[in-house]
Amino acid sequence: MVVHFLIRGRVQGVGFRWFVHREAAELGLRGWVRNTDAGEVEVVAAGDAAMIAELRVELRKGSRGSRVDAVIEHELTDAEGESLGAFEIEGAW
């Protein structure tokens, strides 16, 4: 299963990408997380449906200091996830 998430709220400058990276890596998911220019955080995650469901729950909770107002989700095709490697933070300093 491959899913694209867009998280809206206070999710930049509060360690949200690092939180997502830790959660996704612990679940054994492949993919990436990055900030958007619009102040949101974008996630693409691939793996077992049960693990994606666990990540979804954590994304809605958010990290300490964050505020999640909305999680917009789109399922992608399996082919779109074939090139994804170990979960990483894109654009990290």
Side-chain angles (χ1 to χ4, degrees), residues 64-75:
R64 175 183 289 174
S66 70
R67 184 192 72 243
V68 176
D69 295 335
V71 177
I72 300 162
E73 179 179 337
H74 297 96
E75 191 167 338

Side-chain angles (χ1 to χ4, degrees), residues 47-66:
D48 178 82
M51 298 301 120
I52 295 285
E54 286 189 42
L55 179 64
R56 182 182 298 115
V57 168
E58 295 305 317
L59 291 176
R60 292 184 191 286
K61 285 183 194 174
S63 62
R64 175 183 289 174
S66 70

Side-chain angles (χ1 to χ4, degrees), residues 1-18:
M1 177 174 214
V2 185
V3 181
H4 174 266
F5 295 99
L6 189 65
I7 302 95
R8 293 186 173 150
R10 189 176 67 225
V11 292
Q12 288 193 9
V14 293
F16 195 85
R17 289 178 302 157
W18 296 97

